[in-house]
Amino acid sequence: MTKGYRERLEEGRRAMAHLVHVWHERNGWSHKVLPALAEALDLGRVHNSQISNLRNGKLAAPGPEVFLALGQANAVLLEGLDPIREHLQEVHPELLQVLADGHAPLVNGTGQPLGAGALFEIFVGLAPLPPGFDWRIDAEEASALSAALADQLCAARSWRFCRDQVMAAYPVSKSQRRERFAAVMAGMRDYSSDELDGELLDLYATYQELGGSGRHGAEGFLAQLRSRAKQLEPESQAAVSKD
């Protein structure tokens, strides 16, 4: 049966929430970064609260300026920081520092930036999420995937024997994300499903830096983790039984 428009709109709103959340997660942004960039470069008007509500799936009817500002900011980010560095250094040096730590744009399957129209189509359920932004990681599997990740990147060794090598391979410079990654690898916490969505490309890059195959891409790496998680499950249950 064909989906009704209300169902498509609801799915689109959830997809946009996921897209904005993962975009921020990958770059280590707060909800204030995009509005600050739009204002500093006169790209359009978008408020901090609108970004926050988009991330939470609570912004039911954003105006066209929201999509215009996000689309134009995304195009600017694709060009890199060099064209805007001098201007931001003058008007908003704190923002420049934040962007220096992460400014990856949203791109489609051909590497082109998502513009206002493409973002609107996602929001109303007329277009799917771009590749790399819909790993479909469930909350229920996040803990098992976190354990599989630590086992995979450390080659089944304990964290104390692989820490330096793995941390050197992890490409992220932001201290908060590095601390979180180290805690997951040490078994002190797990990634959430949203965090894994945001981290997966960098975790895959870590895997490659450590000598892993890149033949099947990030999707293949996720499939490996899922397979390893299933293998580790009996071991975890056995450990619990002994306790």
Side-chain angles (χ1 to χ4, degrees):
M1 183 177 178
T2 304
K3 294 179 181 178
Y5 80 91
R6 289 188 179 85
E7 185 178 358
R8 289 201 306 272
L9 286 173
E10 180 60 31
E11 289 183 356
R13 190 185 305 174
R14 289 198 302 268
M16 178 60 72
H18 180 77
L19 180 67
V20 173
H21 181 92
V22 173
W23 193 18
H24 281 67
E25 186 71 31
R26 288 182 183 173
N27 287 310
W29 292 343
S30 75
H31 64 285
K32 299 179 181 180
V33 172
L34 288 171
L37 180 62
E39 181 178 0
L41 301 181
D42 195 25
L43 302 175
R45 296 185 62 186
V46 58
H47 300 293
N48 296 339
S49 61
Q50 290 175 311
I51 295 297
S52 180
N53 286 330
L54 272 178
R55 289 179 63 175
N56 295 326
K58 296 179 180 178
L59 191 60
E65 272 205 3
V66 171
F67 296 106
L68 177 63
L70 293 181
Q72 293 200 125
N74 192 44
V76 166
L77 293 173
L78 185 72
E79 297 299 319
L81 297 184
D82 286 345
I84 60 174
R85 188 181 305 277
E86 185 175 346
H87 178 71
L88 288 184
Q89 185 63 56
E90 179 181 346
V91 302
H92 205 324
E94 297 87 356
L95 175 61
L96 179 60
Q97 183 57 55
V98 169
L99 293 176
D101 290 337
H103 57 275
L106 300 172
V107 296
N108 61 22
T110 62
Q112 297 301 306
L114 299 185
L119 292 170
F120 177 75
E121 287 187 339
I122 292 171
F123 182 80
V124 297
L126 293 177
L129 288 168
F133 283 88
D134 193 10
W135 307 118
R136 299 186 184 279
I137 298 173
D138 293 329
E140 293 76 13
E141 64 176 337
S143 178
L145 289 176
S146 297
L149 175 71
D151 187 77
Q152 181 77 52
L153 296 185
C154 277
R157 295 174 295 165
S158 68
W159 179 231
R160 69 172 59 189
F161 294 116
C162 69
R163 175 187 172 90
D164 291 345
Q165 182 185 13
V166 172
M167 292 305 297
Y170 183 59
V172 176
S173 60
K174 197 171 182 68
S175 59
Q176 184 179 2
R177 288 180 62 191
R178 292 185 67 83
E179 290 169 5
R180 184 177 66 186
F181 172 69
V184 172
M185 293 299 296
M188 298 174 62
R189 61 157 290 178
D190 295 325
Y191 279 126
S192 69
S193 57
D194 284 340
E195 288 169 345
L196 277 170
D197 262 318
E199 286 277 0
L200 190 63
L201 290 178
D202 288 317
L203 297 175
Y204 173 54
T206 305
Y207 168 71
Q208 288 183 291
E209 183 66 21
L210 292 170
S213 171
R215 185 171 58 178
H216 300 295
E219 291 86 352
F221 176 59
L222 178 57
Q224 277 185 268
L225 292 181
R226 284 176 166 144
S227 176
R228 184 58 185 146
K230 289 181 179 179
Q231 294 172 6
L232 290 174
E233 187 175 351
E235 298 176 20
S236 300
Q237 291 175 346
V240 170
S241 298
K242 289 181 181 179
D243 292 341

